[in-house]
Amino acid sequence: QAKGTGPGAILVETYDVTGGTGRRLVNVSARNHVGTGDEILIAGFAISGTGIKRVLIRAIGPTLGAFGVDGALADPLVRVFDSRNTIVGSNENWENSLSATFSQVGAFPLAAGSKDAAIVLSLPAGASYTVQVSGADGGTGEALVEIYEVP
């Protein structure tokens, strides 16, 4: 948990420096208030190695209410950018076909038809990416962004 004592942005960085094929970082998430303009929720990640890697990226808003979070973002939009600032994927309302992937990576389930956002992308390794979460309808509220490696 990171907190500031006044207005401004906080950057929290997590690195997996173990290398090799043993235990490694396979999920990262962050919850924060999503505003508009420069006050959206942004997360970055890098994929090491070579080849193509699959990732599950979710922007959870409405389902946070089931966990007792007040003021959740009603309709999140998730957009993923590569290092050239090109959108490589986006989603506003997740598809039920992703439920098996949620279970596979250990993510909590989402209610069918919820307005949470989720997408699976196949991305080139050896590159960095940025995830932006905003209100699809310009709304604001609490949201959770999650990034999972999909085996």
Side-chain angles (χ1 to χ4, degrees):
Q1 214 176 33
K3 291 183 178 183
T5 58
I10 295 177
L11 175 64
V12 176
E13 297 180 328
T14 303
Y15 297 92
D16 183 346
V17 296
T18 58
T21 59
R23 294 181 179 191
R24 64 188 196 285
L25 185 65
V26 295
N27 164 249
V28 65
S29 62
R31 189 187 112 192
N32 199 33
H33 180 79
V34 173
T36 58
D38 290 342
E39 295 180 354
I40 62 173
L41 177 54
I42 300 172
F45 66 100
I47 302 174
S48 63
T50 59
I52 302 295
K53 306 293 182 182
R54 290 179 65 214
V55 294
L56 165 66
I57 300 171
R58 305 195 318 172
I60 309 300
T63 298
L64 290 178
F67 295 102
V69 176
D70 292 327
L73 183 61
D75 190 6
L77 168 65
V78 63
R79 296 185 302 165
V80 183
F81 296 83
D82 66 14
S83 61
R84 294 181 304 269
N85 205 31
T86 300
I87 295 177
V88 295
S90 66
N91 182 263
E92 181 180 342
N93 297 315
W94 72 286
E95 297 178 15
N96 290 336
S97 62
L98 292 177
S99 293
T101 304
F102 299 167
S103 180
Q104 179 184 15
V105 299
F108 59 83
L110 301 177
S114 75
K115 289 196 171 263
D116 299 292
I119 188 169
V120 173
L121 297 171
S122 296
L123 299 172
S128 299
Y129 301 90
T130 302
V131 179
Q132 294 184 1
V133 177
S134 59
D137 57 359
T140 63
E142 291 293 311
L144 175 71
V145 61
E146 301 175 308
I147 305 163
Y148 294 88
E149 176 184 26
V150 178

